[in-house]
Amino acid sequence: MATTHSADVIIVGGGIGGLTAALSLHAAGIEPLVLESAREVRPLGVGINLQPAAVRELDELGLLDDLAALGVPAVEHAFADGRGRTLFGEARGTAAGYHWPQFSVHRGELQMMLLDAVVKRLGPEAVRTGVQVEDFEETADGVRVHAVDRSTGGRLGFSAEALVGADGIHSTLRALLHPDQGPLQWNGVTMWRGVTEEDAFAPGNAVVIAADDKNTQFVAYQISRAALDRRPHAGQLGLSGADGRARRPGGGRQLERSGHDRGSAAALRGVGVRLDGPAGSVRPQ
Ligand SMILES: Cc1cc2nc3c(=O)[nH]c(=O)nc-3n(C[C@H](O)[C@H](O)[C@H](O)COP(=O)(O)OP(=O)(O)OC[C@H]3O[C@@H](n4cnc5c(N)ncnc54)[C@H](O)[C@@H]3O)c2cc1C
């Protein structure tokens, strides 16, 4: 097998973790190569919340303004019962005293933001897509990585001084490093994700977490700065407070939702929520 490329460090996975690691290594003067199995990086996913410690890392990489242009700072986690009545709220981000905000953002847009930064700073050759890493071996001076080119089926080899596994929840590298651990355990919860653009229903930029007595949860929060700017006066829908009075929402909104069955997915479609995935499919998390 011919080695087609060598780098200081090889990062397996061009997701949020892998791309951020690439930017951090580059900032430290180390040149990484990212190997990503997807043939094309596309803005997949829905909502994700970045806690202050993660936002701090992106700030130190000079990406805070870019992040603020995409996402929405979350100022509160509002816990509600199954009828939408607020039980209690917990301040988040700077409202909770952190130096950095918590950001709610579209996962795919965040990934594309990171990819843009990697391409600008490290060059387009720093990320190789369509490369599925299958194995690695330690050598006298580093590591050799074995992969497959998903377009041609050809074998590829890469050498580096170090290898970083950022290949997600079903990590190949983790399985190779810890073969005795077996697959991850599923806790039995099925999560459905969806997104829609409508009037806001939560006060300010709260992440609303509602649960009923059947242990079904509904999580909803805004993820889009652009949608918020399109609907600056939105706010006709509202959570009711413990006193039954409507709480005034702040702006545009998104939906993310978790449930247990297909009926939950149908209910979401019924209110116009576009689901992240084929209708009726079940996606264990
Ligand atoms: C398509 C997608 C959609 C998601 N949507 C959401 C969401 O809506 N909300 C949420 O909270 N979380 C979501 N997640 C999970 C979330 O992105 C991660 O849990 C979190 O960001 C941690 O990032 P990560 O870089 O460790 O993993 P990930 O973001 O999962 O990235 C891992 C990357 O590694 C690549 N990869 C995997 N195996 C190999 C291999 N053998 N060789 C090369 N590359 C490999 C994958 O293609 C992927 O791009 C999603 C993940 C993915 C992949």
mmCIF file of all heavy atoms in Angstrom, residues 173-221:
data_model
loop_
_atom_site.group_PDB
_atom_site.id
_atom_site.type_symbol
_atom_site.label_atom_id
_atom_site.label_comp_id
_atom_site.label_asym_id
_atom_site.label_seq_id
_atom_site.Cartn_x
_atom_site.Cartn_y
_atom_site.Cartn_z
ATOM 1 N N LEU A 173 -12.186 4.350 15.719
ATOM 2 C CA LEU A 173 -10.931 4.364 16.484
ATOM 3 C C LEU A 173 -11.153 3.907 17.927
ATOM 4 O O LEU A 173 -10.329 3.188 18.495
ATOM 5 C CB LEU A 173 -10.301 5.760 16.465
ATOM 6 C CG LEU A 173 -9.770 6.233 15.108
ATOM 7 C CD1 LEU A 173 -8.912 7.468 15.281
ATOM 8 C CD2 LEU A 173 -8.974 5.150 14.408
ATOM 9 N N ARG A 174 -12.255 4.325 18.489
ATOM 10 C CA ARG A 174 -12.554 3.888 19.866
ATOM 11 C C ARG A 174 -12.686 2.362 19.913
ATOM 12 O O ARG A 174 -12.168 1.706 20.821
ATOM 13 C CB ARG A 174 -13.841 4.557 20.356
ATOM 14 C CG ARG A 174 -14.338 4.051 21.685
ATOM 15 C CD ARG A 174 -15.660 4.699 22.067
ATOM 16 N NE ARG A 174 -16.269 4.011 23.175
ATOM 17 C CZ ARG A 174 -17.009 2.910 23.065
ATOM 18 N NH1 ARG A 174 -17.212 2.377 21.881
ATOM 19 N NH2 ARG A 174 -17.508 2.335 24.122
ATOM 20 N N ALA A 175 -13.383 1.811 18.924
ATOM 21 C CA ALA A 175 -13.566 0.357 18.901
ATOM 22 C C ALA A 175 -12.222 -0.358 18.730
ATOM 23 O O ALA A 175 -12.007 -1.428 19.308
ATOM 24 C CB ALA A 175 -14.515 -0.020 17.767
ATOM 25 N N LEU A 176 -11.317 0.248 17.950
ATOM 26 C CA LEU A 176 -10.000 -0.368 17.762
ATOM 27 C C LEU A 176 -9.163 -0.278 19.041
ATOM 28 O O LEU A 176 -8.444 -1.215 19.403
ATOM 29 C CB LEU A 176 -9.248 0.325 16.615
ATOM 30 C CG LEU A 176 -9.803 0.075 15.205
ATOM 31 C CD1 LEU A 176 -9.174 1.033 14.203
ATOM 32 C CD2 LEU A 176 -9.545 -1.379 14.787
ATOM 33 N N LEU A 177 -9.280 0.848 19.724
ATOM 34 C CA LEU A 177 -8.482 1.057 20.938
ATOM 35 C C LEU A 177 -9.037 0.271 22.127
ATOM 36 O O LEU A 177 -8.290 -0.133 23.016
ATOM 37 C CB LEU A 177 -8.449 2.553 21.291
ATOM 38 C CG LEU A 177 -7.536 3.415 20.423
ATOM 39 C CD1 LEU A 177 -7.827 4.894 20.647
ATOM 40 C CD2 LEU A 177 -6.070 3.117 20.733
ATOM 41 N N HIS A 178 -10.368 0.101 22.131
ATOM 42 C CA HIS A 178 -11.015 -0.562 23.277
ATOM 43 C C HIS A 178 -11.932 -1.680 22.783
ATOM 44 O O HIS A 178 -13.165 -1.602 22.937
ATOM 45 C CB HIS A 178 -11.803 0.466 24.091
ATOM 46 C CG HIS A 178 -10.967 1.619 24.550
ATOM 47 N ND1 HIS A 178 -10.042 1.503 25.563
ATOM 48 C CD2 HIS A 178 -10.880 2.899 24.109
ATOM 49 C CE1 HIS A 178 -9.432 2.671 25.739
ATOM 50 N NE2 HIS A 178 -9.926 3.523 24.866
ATOM 51 N N PRO A 179 -11.351 -2.724 22.198
ATOM 52 C CA PRO A 179 -12.186 -3.766 21.593
ATOM 53 C C PRO A 179 -13.051 -4.524 22.599
ATOM 54 O O PRO A 179 -14.057 -5.117 22.225
ATOM 55 C CB PRO A 179 -11.159 -4.689 20.932
ATOM 56 C CG PRO A 179 -9.877 -4.416 21.633
ATOM 57 C CD PRO A 179 -9.919 -2.988 22.057
ATOM 58 N N ASP A 180 -12.678 -4.483 23.871
ATOM 59 C CA ASP A 180 -13.441 -5.251 24.866
ATOM 60 C C ASP A 180 -14.666 -4.501 25.382
ATOM 61 O O ASP A 180 -15.491 -5.070 26.100
ATOM 62 C CB ASP A 180 -12.537 -5.598 26.065
ATOM 63 C CG ASP A 180 -11.364 -6.453 25.624
ATOM 64 O OD1 ASP A 180 -11.516 -7.191 24.622
ATOM 65 O OD2 ASP A 180 -10.299 -6.351 26.253
ATOM 66 N N GLN A 181 -14.767 -3.226 25.021
ATOM 67 C CA GLN A 181 -15.882 -2.448 25.591
ATOM 68 C C GLN A 181 -17.211 -2.716 24.893
ATOM 69 O O GLN A 181 -18.264 -2.447 25.452
ATOM 70 C CB GLN A 181 -15.565 -0.952 25.527
ATOM 71 C CG GLN A 181 -14.536 -0.539 26.561
ATOM 72 C CD GLN A 181 -14.372 0.971 26.620
ATOM 73 O OE1 GLN A 181 -14.961 1.701 25.835
ATOM 74 N NE2 GLN A 181 -13.548 1.421 27.547
ATOM 75 N N GLY A 182 -17.191 -3.206 23.681
ATOM 76 C CA GLY A 182 -18.440 -3.477 22.974
ATOM 77 C C GLY A 182 -19.125 -2.197 22.531
ATOM 78 O O GLY A 182 -18.613 -1.101 22.740
ATOM 79 N N PRO A 183 -20.306 -2.360 21.938
ATOM 80 C CA PRO A 183 -21.030 -1.178 21.462
ATOM 81 C C PRO A 183 -21.584 -0.361 22.617
ATOM 82 O O PRO A 183 -21.708 -0.848 23.744
ATOM 83 C CB PRO A 183 -22.168 -1.777 20.619
ATOM 84 C CG PRO A 183 -22.335 -3.159 21.141
ATOM 85 C CD PRO A 183 -20.996 -3.617 21.646
ATOM 86 N N LEU A 184 -21.933 0.877 22.329
ATOM 87 C CA LEU A 184 -22.521 1.739 23.351
ATOM 88 C C LEU A 184 -23.905 1.221 23.734
ATOM 89 O O LEU A 184 -24.601 0.628 22.918
ATOM 90 C CB LEU A 184 -22.642 3.174 22.822
ATOM 91 C CG LEU A 184 -21.342 3.872 22.453
ATOM 92 C CD1 LEU A 184 -21.627 5.274 21.939
ATOM 93 C CD2 LEU A 184 -20.401 3.928 23.647
ATOM 94 N N GLN A 185 -24.283 1.450 24.964
ATOM 95 C CA GLN A 185 -25.602 1.029 25.420
ATOM 96 C C GLN A 185 -26.634 2.098 25.089
ATOM 97 O O GLN A 185 -26.401 3.280 25.344
ATOM 98 C CB GLN A 185 -25.583 0.792 26.931
ATOM 99 C CG GLN A 185 -24.880 -0.493 27.310
ATOM 100 C CD GLN A 185 -25.092 -0.811 28.767
ATOM 101 O OE1 GLN A 185 -25.112 0.071 29.598
ATOM 102 N NE2 GLN A 185 -25.245 -2.081 29.072
ATOM 103 N N TRP A 186 -27.740 1.681 24.530
ATOM 104 C CA TRP A 186 -28.850 2.605 24.234
ATOM 105 C C TRP A 186 -29.757 2.677 25.451
ATOM 106 O O TRP A 186 -30.100 1.643 26.031
ATOM 107 C CB TRP A 186 -29.608 2.098 23.003
ATOM 108 C CG TRP A 186 -30.759 2.969 22.611
ATOM 109 C CD1 TRP A 186 -30.806 4.332 22.622
ATOM 110 C CD2 TRP A 186 -32.037 2.527 22.148
ATOM 111 N NE1 TRP A 186 -32.026 4.768 22.178
ATOM 112 C CE2 TRP A 186 -32.803 3.693 21.886
ATOM 113 C CE3 TRP A 186 -32.608 1.274 21.912
ATOM 114 C CZ2 TRP A 186 -34.108 3.627 21.415
ATOM 115 C CZ3 TRP A 186 -33.907 1.221 21.441
ATOM 116 C CH2 TRP A 186 -34.641 2.376 21.191
ATOM 117 N N ASN A 187 -30.133 3.878 25.854
ATOM 118 C CA ASN A 187 -30.960 4.015 27.057
ATOM 119 C C ASN A 187 -32.454 3.849 26.782
ATOM 120 O O ASN A 187 -33.285 4.037 27.672
ATOM 121 C CB ASN A 187 -30.697 5.361 27.759
ATOM 122 C CG ASN A 187 -31.119 6.537 26.904
ATOM 123 O OD1 ASN A 187 -31.673 6.363 25.825
ATOM 124 N ND2 ASN A 187 -30.824 7.734 27.371
ATOM 125 N N GLY A 188 -32.805 3.530 25.543
ATOM 126 C CA GLY A 188 -34.201 3.265 25.230
ATOM 127 C C GLY A 188 -34.999 4.476 24.788
ATOM 128 O O GLY A 188 -36.162 4.354 24.419
ATOM 129 N N VAL A 189 -34.373 5.641 24.811
ATOM 130 C CA VAL A 189 -35.083 6.869 24.419
ATOM 131 C C VAL A 189 -34.874 7.127 22.930
ATOM 132 O O VAL A 189 -33.760 7.061 22.437
ATOM 133 C CB VAL A 189 -34.574 8.085 25.221
ATOM 134 C CG1 VAL A 189 -35.214 9.378 24.705
ATOM 135 C CG2 VAL A 189 -34.863 7.896 26.700
ATOM 136 N N THR A 190 -35.966 7.365 22.225
ATOM 137 C CA THR A 190 -35.881 7.764 20.822
ATOM 138 C C THR A 190 -36.102 9.269 20.739
ATOM 139 O O THR A 190 -37.054 9.794 21.303
ATOM 140 C CB THR A 190 -36.949 7.044 19.986
ATOM 141 O OG1 THR A 190 -36.701 5.639 20.054
ATOM 142 C CG2 THR A 190 -36.899 7.505 18.530
ATOM 143 N N MET A 191 -35.193 9.938 20.045
ATOM 144 C CA MET A 191 -35.304 11.392 19.924
ATOM 145 C C MET A 191 -35.669 11.765 18.495
ATOM 146 O O MET A 191 -35.064 11.276 17.549
ATOM 147 C CB MET A 191 -33.981 12.053 20.303
ATOM 148 C CG MET A 191 -33.997 13.563 20.128
ATOM 149 S SD MET A 191 -32.407 14.308 20.533
ATOM 150 C CE MET A 191 -32.485 14.300 22.307
ATOM 151 N N TRP A 192 -36.652 12.605 18.350
ATOM 152 C CA TRP A 192 -37.021 13.162 17.047
ATOM 153 C C TRP A 192 -36.618 14.621 17.026
ATOM 154 O O TRP A 192 -36.852 15.338 17.998
ATOM 155 C CB TRP A 192 -38.526 13.045 16.820
ATOM 156 C CG TRP A 192 -38.977 11.655 16.591
ATOM 157 C CD1 TRP A 192 -39.374 10.771 17.536
ATOM 158 C CD2 TRP A 192 -39.062 10.980 15.338
ATOM 159 N NE1 TRP A 192 -39.702 9.582 16.957
ATOM 160 C CE2 TRP A 192 -39.531 9.694 15.598
ATOM 161 C CE3 TRP A 192 -38.791 11.358 14.023
ATOM 162 C CZ2 TRP A 192 -39.720 8.762 14.597
ATOM 163 C CZ3 TRP A 192 -38.993 10.436 13.020
ATOM 164 C CH2 TRP A 192 -39.451 9.139 13.307
ATOM 165 N N ARG A 193 -36.023 15.006 15.914
ATOM 166 C CA ARG A 193 -35.634 16.413 15.803
ATOM 167 C C ARG A 193 -36.396 17.055 14.670
ATOM 168 O O ARG A 193 -36.640 16.439 13.640
ATOM 169 C CB ARG A 193 -34.141 16.551 15.509
ATOM 170 C CG ARG A 193 -33.251 16.016 16.586
ATOM 171 C CD ARG A 193 -31.836 16.480 16.333
ATOM 172 N NE ARG A 193 -30.952 15.981 17.359
ATOM 173 C CZ ARG A 193 -30.148 14.941 17.187
ATOM 174 N NH1 ARG A 193 -30.115 14.317 16.038
ATOM 175 N NH2 ARG A 193 -29.377 14.539 18.154
ATOM 176 N N GLY A 194 -36.754 18.298 14.844
ATOM 177 C CA GLY A 194 -37.422 19.019 13.770
ATOM 178 C C GLY A 194 -37.134 20.497 13.879
ATOM 179 O O GLY A 194 -36.670 20.978 14.911
ATOM 180 N N VAL A 195 -37.382 21.201 12.790
ATOM 181 C CA VAL A 195 -37.157 22.646 12.805
ATOM 182 C C VAL A 195 -38.276 23.331 12.043
ATOM 183 O O VAL A 195 -38.796 22.790 11.058
ATOM 184 C CB VAL A 195 -35.771 23.000 12.208
ATOM 185 C CG1 VAL A 195 -35.683 22.616 10.733
ATOM 186 C CG2 VAL A 195 -35.451 24.464 12.387
ATOM 187 N N THR A 196 -38.688 24.479 12.521
ATOM 188 C CA THR A 196 -39.702 25.261 11.836
ATOM 189 C C THR A 196 -39.462 26.731 12.133
ATOM 190 O O THR A 196 -38.765 27.074 13.096
ATOM 191 C CB THR A 196 -41.121 24.843 12.282
ATOM 192 O OG1 THR A 196 -42.079 25.495 11.457
ATOM 193 C CG2 THR A 196 -41.376 25.206 13.734
ATOM 194 N N GLU A 197 -39.993 27.586 11.284
ATOM 195 C CA GLU A 197 -39.868 29.022 11.527
ATOM 196 C C GLU A 197 -41.256 29.606 11.736
ATOM 197 O O GLU A 197 -42.075 29.621 10.815
ATOM 198 C CB GLU A 197 -39.173 29.709 10.357
ATOM 199 C CG GLU A 197 -38.926 31.181 10.640
ATOM 200 C CD GLU A 197 -38.086 31.864 9.585
ATOM 201 O OE1 GLU A 197 -37.313 31.175 8.888
ATOM 202 O OE2 GLU A 197 -38.211 33.087 9.451
ATOM 203 N N GLU A 198 -41.489 30.016 12.949
ATOM 204 C CA GLU A 198 -42.783 30.585 13.300
ATOM 205 C C GLU A 198 -42.580 31.624 14.391
ATOM 206 O O GLU A 198 -41.452 31.898 14.803
ATOM 207 C CB GLU A 198 -43.728 29.486 13.813
ATOM 208 C CG GLU A 198 -44.253 28.592 12.716
ATOM 209 C CD GLU A 198 -45.289 27.630 13.246
ATOM 210 O OE1 GLU A 198 -45.948 27.984 14.237
ATOM 211 O OE2 GLU A 198 -45.408 26.532 12.698
ATOM 212 N N ASP A 199 -43.700 32.148 14.861
ATOM 213 C CA ASP A 199 -43.605 33.085 15.976
ATOM 214 C C ASP A 199 -43.057 32.379 17.208
ATOM 215 O O ASP A 199 -43.284 31.194 17.413
ATOM 216 C CB ASP A 199 -44.983 33.653 16.299
ATOM 217 C CG ASP A 199 -45.481 34.549 15.174
ATOM 218 O OD1 ASP A 199 -44.640 35.003 14.376
ATOM 219 O OD2 ASP A 199 -46.693 34.774 15.113
ATOM 220 N N ALA A 200 -42.365 33.139 18.014
ATOM 221 C CA ALA A 200 -41.741 32.550 19.201
ATOM 222 C C ALA A 200 -42.790 32.163 20.232
ATOM 223 O O ALA A 200 -43.867 32.733 20.287
ATOM 224 C CB ALA A 200 -40.778 33.546 19.819
ATOM 225 N N PHE A 201 -42.459 31.157 21.026
ATOM 226 C CA PHE A 201 -43.364 30.743 22.087
ATOM 227 C C PHE A 201 -42.682 30.728 23.431
ATOM 228 O O PHE A 201 -43.283 30.404 24.438
ATOM 229 C CB PHE A 201 -43.928 29.349 21.802
ATOM 230 C CG PHE A 201 -42.870 28.310 21.665
ATOM 231 C CD1 PHE A 201 -42.439 27.605 22.765
ATOM 232 C CD2 PHE A 201 -42.302 28.067 20.445
ATOM 233 C CE1 PHE A 201 -41.450 26.653 22.644
ATOM 234 C CE2 PHE A 201 -41.307 27.124 20.315
ATOM 235 C CZ PHE A 201 -40.883 26.416 21.403
ATOM 236 N N ALA A 202 -41.396 31.063 23.461
ATOM 237 C CA ALA A 202 -40.660 31.019 24.721
ATOM 238 C C ALA A 202 -40.208 32.422 25.085
ATOM 239 O O ALA A 202 -39.916 33.227 24.214
ATOM 240 C CB ALA A 202 -39.452 30.098 24.587
ATOM 241 N N PRO A 203 -40.108 32.715 26.351
ATOM 242 C CA PRO A 203 -39.675 34.044 26.747
ATOM 243 C C PRO A 203 -38.197 34.255 26.455
ATOM 244 O O PRO A 203 -37.382 33.370 26.716
ATOM 245 C CB PRO A 203 -39.946 34.053 28.251
ATOM 246 C CG PRO A 203 -39.900 32.621 28.652
ATOM 247 C CD PRO A 203 -40.393 31.839 27.476
ATOM 248 N N GLY A 204 -37.842 35.407 25.921
ATOM 249 C CA GLY A 204 -36.445 35.689 25.640
ATOM 250 C C GLY A 204 -35.858 34.600 24.778
ATOM 251 O O GLY A 204 -36.461 34.156 23.819
ATOM 252 N N ASN A 205 -34.693 34.155 25.137
ATOM 253 C CA ASN A 205 -34.061 33.071 24.402
ATOM 254 C C ASN A 205 -33.946 31.844 25.287
ATOM 255 O O ASN A 205 -32.880 31.264 25.439
ATOM 256 C CB ASN A 205 -32.681 33.500 23.895
ATOM 257 C CG ASN A 205 -32.813 34.662 22.941
ATOM 258 O OD1 ASN A 205 -33.784 34.751 22.192
ATOM 259 N ND2 ASN A 205 -31.851 35.559 22.979
ATOM 260 N N ALA A 206 -35.040 31.441 25.897
ATOM 261 C CA ALA A 206 -35.017 30.297 26.792
ATOM 262 C C ALA A 206 -34.973 28.991 26.005
ATOM 263 O O ALA A 206 -35.542 28.896 24.930
ATOM 264 C CB ALA A 206 -36.242 30.301 27.695
ATOM 265 N N VAL A 207 -34.272 28.011 26.545
ATOM 266 C CA VAL A 207 -34.393 26.623 26.100
ATOM 267 C C VAL A 207 -35.505 26.018 26.945
ATOM 268 O O VAL A 207 -35.376 25.933 28.167
ATOM 269 C CB VAL A 207 -33.084 25.845 26.321
ATOM 270 C CG1 VAL A 207 -33.263 24.370 25.977
ATOM 271 C CG2 VAL A 207 -31.954 26.461 25.495
ATOM 272 N N VAL A 208 -36.614 25.654 26.308
ATOM 273 C CA VAL A 208 -37.766 25.130 27.051
ATOM 274 C C VAL A 208 -37.681 23.607 27.105
ATOM 275 O O VAL A 208 -37.482 22.955 26.078
ATOM 276 C CB VAL A 208 -39.083 25.541 26.377
ATOM 277 C CG1 VAL A 208 -40.274 24.928 27.112
ATOM 278 C CG2 VAL A 208 -39.201 27.062 26.349
ATOM 279 N N ILE A 209 -37.782 23.050 28.296
ATOM 280 C CA ILE A 209 -37.748 21.601 28.489
ATOM 281 C C ILE A 209 -39.025 21.219 29.219
ATOM 282 O O ILE A 209 -39.169 21.491 30.422
ATOM 283 C CB ILE A 209 -36.503 21.175 29.293
ATOM 284 C CG1 ILE A 209 -35.240 21.672 28.583
ATOM 285 C CG2 ILE A 209 -36.464 19.650 29.474
ATOM 286 C CD1 ILE A 209 -34.048 21.801 29.475
ATOM 287 N N ALA A 210 -39.971 20.639 28.473
ATOM 288 C CA ALA A 210 -41.258 20.269 29.066
ATOM 289 C C ALA A 210 -41.353 18.749 29.149
ATOM 290 O O ALA A 210 -40.896 18.046 28.244
ATOM 291 C CB ALA A 210 -42.406 20.820 28.217
ATOM 292 N N ALA A 211 -41.925 18.248 30.218
ATOM 293 C CA ALA A 211 -42.067 16.796 30.394
ATOM 294 C C ALA A 211 -43.461 16.485 30.918
ATOM 295 O O ALA A 211 -44.008 17.237 31.734
ATOM 296 C CB ALA A 211 -41.017 16.275 31.365
ATOM 297 N N ASP A 212 -44.019 15.372 30.415
ATOM 298 C CA ASP A 212 -45.320 14.972 30.943
ATOM 299 C C ASP A 212 -45.134 13.822 31.932
ATOM 300 O O ASP A 212 -44.014 13.397 32.222
ATOM 301 C CB ASP A 212 -46.285 14.608 29.807
ATOM 302 C CG ASP A 212 -45.865 13.348 29.068
ATOM 303 O OD1 ASP A 212 -44.919 12.664 29.528
ATOM 304 O OD2 ASP A 212 -46.467 13.037 28.035
ATOM 305 N N ASP A 213 -46.245 13.295 32.439
ATOM 306 C CA ASP A 213 -46.139 12.245 33.452
ATOM 307 C C ASP A 213 -45.871 10.868 32.841
ATOM 308 O O ASP A 213 -45.809 9.868 33.542
ATOM 309 C CB ASP A 213 -47.396 12.209 34.328
ATOM 310 C CG ASP A 213 -48.657 12.077 33.491
ATOM 311 O OD1 ASP A 213 -48.529 11.920 32.262
ATOM 312 O OD2 ASP A 213 -49.761 12.131 34.060
ATOM 313 N N LYS A 214 -45.719 10.804 31.499
ATOM 314 C CA LYS A 214 -45.361 9.534 30.858
ATOM 315 C C LYS A 214 -43.889 9.527 30.457
ATOM 316 O O LYS A 214 -43.453 8.729 29.626
ATOM 317 C CB LYS A 214 -46.236 9.303 29.625
ATOM 318 C CG LYS A 214 -47.727 9.193 29.934
ATOM 319 C CD LYS A 214 -48.502 8.802 28.683
ATOM 320 C CE LYS A 214 -49.995 8.804 28.953
ATOM 321 N NZ LYS A 214 -50.523 10.171 29.226
ATOM 322 N N ASN A 215 -43.142 10.466 31.001
ATOM 323 C CA ASN A 215 -41.712 10.538 30.751
ATOM 324 C C ASN A 215 -41.392 10.885 29.296
ATOM 325 O O ASN A 215 -40.372 10.488 28.762
ATOM 326 C CB ASN A 215 -41.013 9.232 31.144
ATOM 327 C CG ASN A 215 -39.532 9.460 31.387
ATOM 328 O OD1 ASN A 215 -39.128 10.586 31.692
ATOM 329 N ND2 ASN A 215 -38.735 8.416 31.239
ATOM 330 N N THR A 216 -42.294 11.574 28.637
ATOM 331 C CA THR A 216 -42.016 12.109 27.306
ATOM 332 C C THR A 216 -41.562 13.547 27.464
ATOM 333 O O THR A 216 -42.166 14.307 28.217
ATOM 334 C CB THR A 216 -43.283 12.069 26.425
ATOM 335 O OG1 THR A 216 -43.717 10.716 26.318
ATOM 336 C CG2 THR A 216 -42.994 12.619 25.041
ATOM 337 N N GLN A 217 -40.485 13.879 26.777
ATOM 338 C CA GLN A 217 -39.952 15.232 26.890
ATOM 339 C C GLN A 217 -40.072 15.971 25.571
ATOM 340 O O GLN A 217 -39.978 15.367 24.492
ATOM 341 C CB GLN A 217 -38.483 15.197 27.301
ATOM 342 C CG GLN A 217 -38.278 14.894 28.760
ATOM 343 C CD GLN A 217 -36.873 15.255 29.209
ATOM 344 O OE1 GLN A 217 -36.010 15.583 28.412
ATOM 345 N NE2 GLN A 217 -36.647 15.176 30.502
ATOM 346 N N PHE A 218 -40.228 17.257 25.674
ATOM 347 C CA PHE A 218 -40.267 18.146 24.514
ATOM 348 C C PHE A 218 -39.268 19.258 24.791
ATOM 349 O O PHE A 218 -39.362 19.948 25.808
ATOM 350 C CB PHE A 218 -41.686 18.708 24.360
ATOM 351 C CG PHE A 218 -41.855 19.658 23.210
ATOM 352 C CD1 PHE A 218 -42.243 19.201 21.961
ATOM 353 C CD2 PHE A 218 -41.648 21.018 23.381
ATOM 354 C CE1 PHE A 218 -42.401 20.085 20.899
ATOM 355 C CE2 PHE A 218 -41.816 21.908 22.322
ATOM 356 C CZ PHE A 218 -42.191 21.429 21.086
ATOM 357 N N VAL A 219 -38.294 19.379 23.905
ATOM 358 C CA VAL A 219 -37.268 20.408 24.076
ATOM 359 C C VAL A 219 -37.360 21.369 22.900
ATOM 360 O O VAL A 219 -37.396 20.932 21.750
ATOM 361 C CB VAL A 219 -35.854 19.784 24.138
ATOM 362 C CG1 VAL A 219 -34.797 20.859 24.355
ATOM 363 C CG2 VAL A 219 -35.781 18.728 25.230
ATOM 364 N N ALA A 220 -37.422 22.650 23.174
ATOM 365 C CA ALA A 220 -37.556 23.624 22.086
ATOM 366 C C ALA A 220 -36.719 24.860 22.374
ATOM 367 O O ALA A 220 -36.674 25.338 23.515
ATOM 368 C CB ALA A 220 -39.027 24.017 21.931
ATOM 369 N N TYR A 221 -36.051 25.320 21.346
ATOM 370 C CA TYR A 221 -35.271 26.553 21.504
ATOM 371 C C TYR A 221 -34.988 27.166 20.142
ATOM 372 O O TYR A 221 -35.083 26.508 19.114
ATOM 373 C CB TYR A 221 -33.964 26.297 22.259
ATOM 374 C CG TYR A 221 -33.120 25.151 21.749
ATOM 375 C CD1 TYR A 221 -32.135 25.361 20.797
ATOM 376 C CD2 TYR A 221 -33.304 23.864 22.234
ATOM 377 C CE1 TYR A 221 -31.339 24.313 20.350
ATOM 378 C CE2 TYR A 221 -32.530 22.814 21.788
ATOM 379 C CZ TYR A 221 -31.549 23.042 20.847
ATOM 380 O OH TYR A 221 -30.786 21.997 20.397
#
